[in-house]
Structure formats: C-alpha cells, structure tokens
Amino acid sequence: MTKRFLACLSVLFLCAFMSGCETMSPDECKFASWNDIGMRDGLEGKTLSLLDDRVKDCSKAGSRVDTNAYLAGRDRGLQNFCRLENAVPLGLSGKGYAGVCPARIDHEFRRLHQAGYVVHDLRGRVSDFDGRSDRLQRKLREADRDEDKQLKAADKDDDRKRIHKEFDERRRQLRNELGDLDRALRRARDDLRSAEYALDHLR
C-alpha cells in the first residue's frame, strides 16, 4: 500500500468526524489534488453525482475540476470499497450502499450489505424499546411518589379519593403502554436473533 493511499485513508476517517466533507471551499478547489479526492470518494462509495456538486462549487470559485484525474482516483478507491468483505461491516455500521460496484458483484454486495443493515436496524430498535421501557417504569415510580405527596397535603376524604382515582388511571395507562412495549420488544429481540443467525451463516 503506497504512502499516497494511506494518506487518502486517513482523510476518509477524518471526514467521518467532520462536517462539510462533501463541499469544496474556494481554497480547496484551488489547491485540490483531484486524484486524491476521487480516491476518497471511491473509498466512501460515493456516487458520481458528487462530482457534479464539486464541479459546481469549484466553478463558482473560478477553478476547474480535473475530471480525468478525479475519475481515475475514484476508480482506484472503488476497487477497495467494492470488496465483498466490506459489505457486511458497511451494513452493520448503518451506512447505505448506493449501487456503485460493478454489475458482476453488485447483487452479492447488496445481499450482504442488506443482511448487515437489517441487524443494525433491529439493534437500534431493541435499544429504542429498552430506553422507552426504562422511561415508562421511571414514570410509574414517579407517579407513586407524586401520589404520596399529594395525599399528605390533602385535608379532605373527597380530595384523597380524587387523587387515588387520578393516579390509578395514570398508572393503568402507563402499565398498558408498558405491556404493549414489552410485546414489541420481545418481537424485536426474536427478529434480531433470527437476523444475527442468518448473518452468521452468510459469512
């Protein structure tokens, strides 16, 4: 692997943590290494529509894009991106696949990527359900504490009965939500186990 290729990889990972990687400032356009930029876009699996955006940005800045150098770099980047062993990790990371790989591997790349993406999606769903369940259980505990406070402050039996009724209804609604959520969570966990099993047997 050449020093130039390693430098492009470092740019790729830097862009994962910085905004604005898909736009070109006037200075970037002026001093751009279009081969390196093309390689970076290829390594990220970007579509050719991004080149149009770069051309527009640099045209406004009075700079010309070296399209041939960009395309040559992009092709080199895509050679590394379009490896079947990259498809599952790409899906597991939650990143999309834009169909940029050659037709001879595109179908298999899509299949592997989708298998990883399904697992990513279900893991997110289970995590979301867990978080919502925790919040509902916390609201139940808070309802008990709030009821105690209001009961201690109430002077009349009618007020205490009203408070009991209001909080019983609140708890009933929360328990119903928790019941629905628990069923959805069990289904999501079952689906996740199935998806992870299917993914393991793809590799």
Side-chain angles (χ1 to χ4, degrees):
M1 188 179 290
T2 65
K3 290 183 179 179
R4 190 174 194 177
F5 186 73
L6 284 170
C8 287
L9 279 177
S10 66
V11 171
L12 169 62
F13 289 116
L14 179 63
C15 282
F17 297 97
M18 296 177 62
S19 59
C21 286
E22 293 185 2
T23 60
M24 300 287 290
S25 70
D27 282 344
E28 287 172 331
C29 290
K30 183 177 180 181
F31 299 107
S33 170
W34 288 107
N35 189 274
D36 289 348
I37 292 172
M39 181 182 290
R40 184 185 72 196
D41 289 349
L43 286 168
E44 292 181 324
K46 300 294 186 182
T47 65
L48 268 178
S49 63
L50 184 54
L51 175 59
D52 294 334
D53 295 335
R54 297 195 185 285
V55 169
K56 291 175 184 176
D57 289 341
C58 291
S59 179
K60 292 176 184 176
S63 298
R64 186 182 67 84
V65 173
D66 187 340
T67 304
N68 289 334
Y70 176 91
L71 292 175
R74 181 175 180 271
D75 285 345
R76 289 173 61 203
L78 283 176
Q79 288 175 14
N80 287 276
F81 175 83
C82 293
R83 293 176 175 173
L84 291 180
E85 61 265 29
N86 293 334
V88 169
L90 186 70
L92 285 172
S93 71
K95 295 178 181 178
Y97 169 59
V100 295
C101 295
R104 58 185 171 78
I105 69 162
D106 177 74
H107 177 76
E108 184 65 7
F109 198 99
R110 286 179 189 273
R111 187 177 74 89
L112 295 171
H113 170 266
Q114 180 63 17
Y117 193 87
V118 166
V119 170
H120 164 81
D121 184 63
L122 286 168
R123 285 174 178 170
R125 195 179 308 175
V126 167
S127 178
D128 178 62
F129 286 156
D130 278 333
R132 288 166 59 188
S133 178
D134 288 343
R135 289 191 292 273
L136 287 172
Q137 291 177 35
R138 185 167 60 249
K139 287 182 178 181
L140 270 174
R141 294 190 295 271
E142 290 170 352
D144 291 338
R145 289 195 297 267
D146 291 344
E147 182 183 24
D148 287 340
K149 289 179 182 178
Q150 292 191 27
L151 286 173
K152 288 177 181 178
D155 295 328
K156 300 177 181 179
D157 286 340
D158 287 345
D159 289 338
R160 283 190 284 270
K161 289 179 182 178
R162 175 183 54 78
I163 291 168
H164 273 307
K165 184 176 180 180
E166 288 176 355
F167 278 93
D168 282 346
E169 177 61 20
R170 185 185 301 183
R171 281 188 289 263
R172 185 188 65 81
Q173 291 176 353
L174 288 170
R175 289 187 180 111
N176 285 342
E177 288 184 56
L178 270 170
D180 292 340
L181 189 58
D182 183 61
R183 287 186 288 274
L185 179 56
R186 286 199 302 269
R187 288 194 296 269
R189 283 175 173 160
D190 288 342
D191 290 343
L192 176 57
R193 281 192 291 270
S194 296
E196 288 176 335
Y197 178 84
L199 181 62
D200 287 341
H201 286 73
L202 278 177
R203 297 177 176 179

